Structure formats: C-alpha cells, structure tokens
C-alpha cells in the first residue's frame, strides 16, 4: 500500500510556504524553522524559538540568524491584530479607505475610546465611517460579517465613536 504526502492546507503551512518562497530558500531547515516561528507569531501563538529549532534539528543560533535575516529584508509579522485588520482593509477597499480607518483609529486611541474593545469590532465600525466618507455603500451588518463580530457590536461601537469624534 502506497501513501502519498498530501499538501497541508492549514493557515500555518500556507504561511510557512509563502515566507520560504519569498525568501528564496528551498530545503534550508534553519529557514523553515525561522519561517515557522514567524508564522506562529503572526497567528498569535507563543511557541518559543528554541522548541521550533529542536523540532527541525537545528541550532537556536542558526534559526535566530535566519529570522533576523527575514526581518532585515522586510518579511516580518504585524505587531498586533489591528495592523493585520488594516492590511485586510487596504487590500479590499484600497489605500484611501485604509488611511481613513487608520487616522480615525489614532484619534480614538488618543482619546481613550478603545480601551477594552476587540480590534475586529473597532475596525468594523471605523470601516463603516470611512466607507460613508468615501461614498461607498456599506452598512453595519456587512461590516459585522466581514470581521466576524455581531452587528450589535458594530452598531454599539458606531454610537460610542460618534460621541468621541464629536468632542
């Protein structure tokens, strides 16, 4: 009986393949370990670099050098979830709408309006504002569906942000 290796289709494997292909490496185990570390950080996992190095059978120093090399050429993980969501907005709606969302986010953050709110609900509500400003047809239910939150959360955030933005 023959078994064939099937390509894994989970987000971690796709991310590792993407990082390795953009770095131009083939079967370099140090690069694979560094790519896995980077992708796990993107996913929000707290797996240490030394455990990943041991999994691939390479030294920690080797993985660290490859990871810093990836960082030097611009392959890095977003610092937080908001940056990931802003990149998603930029890809779907263009840079003008993303810049508007980012500027509204900065204003609200400086006024303390975002404490304790989930990033998905915040970005969904801010996208609602930015879309209206740029003349796009967009409603709170669509925003909720896109970011995986309840429509009530988006509507609550819209009302809350109106108060902070009118100050």
């Amino acid at each position: 009986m023959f078994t064939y290796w099937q390509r894994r289709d989970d987000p971690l494997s796709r991310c590792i393949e993407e990082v390795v292909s953009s770095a131009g490496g083939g079967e370099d185990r140090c690069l694979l370990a560094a790519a896995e570390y980077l992708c796990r950080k993107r996913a929000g996992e707290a797996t240490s670099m030394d455990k990943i190095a041991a999994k691939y059978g390479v030294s920690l120093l080797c993985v660290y050098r490859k990871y810093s090399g990836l960082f030097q050429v611009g392959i890095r993980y977003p610092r937080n979830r908001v940056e990931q969501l802003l990149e998603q907005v930029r890809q779907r709606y263009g840079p003008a709408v993303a810049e508007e969302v980012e500027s509204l986010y900065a204003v609200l953050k400086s006024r303390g309006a975002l404490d304790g709110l989930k990033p998905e609900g915040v970005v969904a509500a801010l996208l609602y504002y930015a879309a209206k400003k740029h003349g796009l047809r967009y409603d709170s239910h669509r925003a909720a569906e896109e970011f995986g939150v309840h429509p009530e959360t988006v509507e609550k955030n819209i009302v809350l942000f109106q108060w902070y933005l009118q100050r």
Side-chain angles (χ1 to χ4, degrees), residues 73-99:
V73 296
I75 303 171
R76 42 182 83 120
Y77 66 94
R79 288 187 292 274
N80 58 28
R81 180 71 176 140
V82 174
E83 288 184 15
Q84 288 177 328
L85 295 171
L86 286 173
E87 185 60 33
Q88 184 178 342
V89 168
R90 185 172 286 108
Q91 289 174 355
R92 285 189 187 158
Y93 298 99
V97 174
E99 288 173 11

Side-chain angles (χ1 to χ4, degrees), residues 32-104:
L32 286 170
E36 182 171 336
Y37 178 72
L38 180 120
C39 292
R40 287 187 182 277
K41 287 187 71 80
R42 281 183 182 170
E45 295 181 23
T47 307
S48 64
M49 191 181 284
D50 58 339
K51 287 184 181 180
I52 294 172
K55 174 182 168 184
Y56 284 91
V58 294
S59 73
L60 176 63
L61 184 60
C62 172
V63 176
Y64 181 76
R65 285 182 181 154
K66 290 292 183 177
Y67 178 72
S68 65
L70 291 172
F71 189 83
Q72 293 293 326
V73 296
I75 303 171
R76 42 182 83 120
Y77 66 94
R79 288 187 292 274
N80 58 28
R81 180 71 176 140
V82 174
E83 288 184 15
Q84 288 177 328
L85 295 171
L86 286 173
E87 185 60 33
Q88 184 178 342
V89 168
R90 185 172 286 108
Q91 289 174 355
R92 285 189 187 158
Y93 298 99
V97 174
E99 288 173 11
E100 182 68 28
V101 170
E102 195 169 3
S103 67
L104 287 170

Side-chain angles (χ1 to χ4, degrees), residues 2 7 19 22 25 42 77 90 93 116 119 122 125 131 142 145-146 150 160-162:
F2 291 101
R7 182 172 180 242
V19 169
S22 62
R42 281 183 182 170
Y77 66 94
R90 185 172 286 108
Y93 298 99
V122 169
R142 182 173 168 197
E145 287 176 11
E146 279 191 50
H150 293 286
L160 176 70
F161 297 161
Q162 281 177 345

